[in-house]
Amino acid sequence: MAADGVAGGGRAARAVSFTGAVKSYGAVRAVAGMDLEIGRGETVALLGRNGAGKSTAISLLLGLAEPDAGTVELFGGPSERAVRAGLVGAMLQEARAVTRVTVRELVAFVAGRYPDPLPLAEVLELAGIGELAGRRVDRLSGGQTQRVRFAVALAGNPSLLVLDEPTAALDVEARRAFWESMRAYARGGRTVLFSTHYLEEADVHADRIVVLDRGRIVADGTGERLRHSAGGALVAFDLAGRGTAGLELLPGVRSVEVRGDRARLRTDDSDATVIALAGLGAIRGLEVAPASLDDAFLALTTGPTAHATGPTAHATGPTAHATGPTAQTTDPAAREGETV
Ligand SMILES: Nc1ncnc2c1ncn2[C@@H]1O[C@H](COP(=O)(O)OP(=O)(O)OP(=O)(O)O)[C@@H](O)[C@H]1O
């Protein structure tokens, strides 16, 4: 694969390496010391609330922004080298397409800038836009535009595909088709990094989920591992007038939450917790359920955001002003107008 051509660190080089990366905007530490390695062939989801730092991390990774401290490397070298070598395709938020060109012209233009592009027909099919090929790119719906962005990201047959909230504007059917294509692409040994707010998408479509909160990685692992880290199960029962004192001391219990007359215990050992509750005679309306990924995510990221004081940044952030036909590629030529 072409990636081997720039793997300065040899075969062991990672697709992506963040080492102590920091990026601040004024007083806001958007990325606050990030260490992350992504191996070749992995599909990784970047998950986090609004303002968690996902887009900023992606900008650093693509070389669209420079870290204030630390390093970010792609394929064992500077991002720019990997980008110039055509190893990277990206689908960013809010990038506007040029006017007056057709979908086919745009995708062909982008493909032509890469050394080893995919055949045009294959790109159009993968992105599900065969029928739109003759349409002008500035006359598409939001979801259609999103699919064209995906095509632009795929066009160069990149070894690393970076997708910032790729399904944001897609309807259910388009979403399903998108993930099918993404997985087919990843199966060819490519590395995929995508950001999302959808926990289920991360769980189903990524090998690994990296949870960001306030610019830091607060969890990194499979969905299963995340669920476990949040407490393996939830045990709920009716308090029936009894108090909650001592519940947090029961075996396995990590946290206690009370809603109305019902207590919800997050526990690492539901059997032990239930036996202890039975010993207390507190089993009315007893329910045991595995912790959901939502539970895990909330447990990992709940709390006041240190810097979420304004509107989310991506409308004005480093990805927003990419306007040319290569706006969603990472071709350095496309970044000449960057103001970051
Ligand atoms: N260009 C910028 N100027 C000032 N602040 C910025 C800029 N870009 C991002 N930020 C701030 O950095 C923090 C991280 O923003 P970022 O866009 O990376 O988060 P995100 O996880 O991608 O959010 P979302 O899910 O809403 O897209 C936010 O507090 C945001 O306001």
Side-chain angles (χ1 to χ4, degrees):
M1 190 180 274
D4 294 332
V6 278
R11 297 186 71 81
R14 301 287 179 189
V16 174
S17 307
F18 285 78
T19 311
V22 173
K23 178 70 185 173
S24 299
Y25 297 105
V28 175
R29 273 163 81 88
V31 169
M34 189 164 165
D35 293 301
L36 174 67
E37 300 229 310
I38 299 176
R40 295 177 189 215
E42 277 192 280
T43 296
V44 176
L46 209 50
L47 200 65
R49 298 184 295 174
N50 288 132
K54 303 180 296 295
S55 296
T56 304
I58 285 175
S59 294
L60 292 176
L61 181 152
L62 298 174
L64 297 172
E66 286 292 316
D68 304 328
T71 57
V72 181
E73 289 189 339
L74 296 184
F75 299 107
S79 301
E80 192 171 329
R81 189 169 66 172
V83 168
R84 281 189 189 284
L87 298 176
V88 187
M91 175 176 172
L92 304 179
Q93 292 184 40
E94 305 288 339
R96 275 193 295 122
V98 283
T99 53
R100 294 203 186 85
V101 300
T102 64
V103 169
R104 182 186 291 106
E105 286 165 344
L106 173 63
V107 177
F109 174 83
V110 173
R113 312 193 88 189
Y114 282 79
D116 180 26
L118 287 177
L120 189 59
E122 191 178 332
V123 180
L124 297 178
E125 193 192 322
L126 269 172
I129 54 171
E131 287 172 8
L132 301 176
R135 298 267 300 273
R136 271 176 54 166
V137 294
D138 52 342
R139 295 195 178 157
L140 301 174
S141 74
Q144 290 168 338
T145 302
Q146 190 83 335
R147 283 186 271 159
V148 172
R149 285 187 192 148
F150 183 44
V152 165
L154 289 170
N157 192 17
S159 302
L160 170 66
L161 192 55
V162 181
L163 310 166
D164 197 359
E165 297 189 26
T167 60
L170 300 185
D171 65 28
V172 174
E173 173 56 22
R175 195 169 281 221
R176 191 196 53 72
F178 166 82
W179 288 118
E180 231 167 64
S181 294
M182 189 282 281
R183 297 201 73 125
Y185 195 75
R187 272 197 293 277
R190 281 86 155 211
T191 310
V192 179
L193 175 67
F194 67 89
S195 73
T196 182
H197 292 283
Y198 299 106
L199 279 70
E200 202 194 321
E201 288 190 342
D203 198 19
V204 174
H205 301 294
D207 304 326
R208 182 176 156 202
I209 301 174
V210 172
V211 182
L212 275 188
D213 190 40
R214 291 167 244 189
R216 292 184 189 282
I217 295 175
V218 293
D220 181 350
T222 60
E224 198 47 51
R225 199 167 139 196
L226 257 60
R227 281 187 199 88
H228 188 75
S229 71
L234 289 170
V235 175
F237 64 97
D238 294 337
L239 284 165
R242 77 186 297 284
T244 56
L247 290 178
E248 72 280 2
L249 300 174
L250 296 180
V253 171
R254 281 189 174 208
S255 66
V256 178
E257 188 190 317
V258 178
R259 289 188 194 164
D261 190 40
R262 214 157 156 74
R264 280 160 49 98
L265 312 182
R266 191 181 297 282
T267 171
D268 288 331
D269 186 345
S270 54
D271 289 350
T273 304
V274 168
I275 289 167
L277 284 172
L280 296 172
I283 53 168
R284 190 189 289 185
L286 188 75
E287 270 181 323
V288 181
S292 69
L293 199 57
D294 287 27
D295 289 321
F297 182 72
L298 288 172
L300 288 163
T301 62
T302 298
T305 42
H307 52 247
T309 51
T312 52
H314 54 257
T316 55
T319 62
H321 48 266
T323 54
T326 57
Q328 294 131 43
T329 76
T330 56
D331 187 316
R335 309 199 317 253
E336 277 163 10
E338 290 290 328
T339 55
V340 290

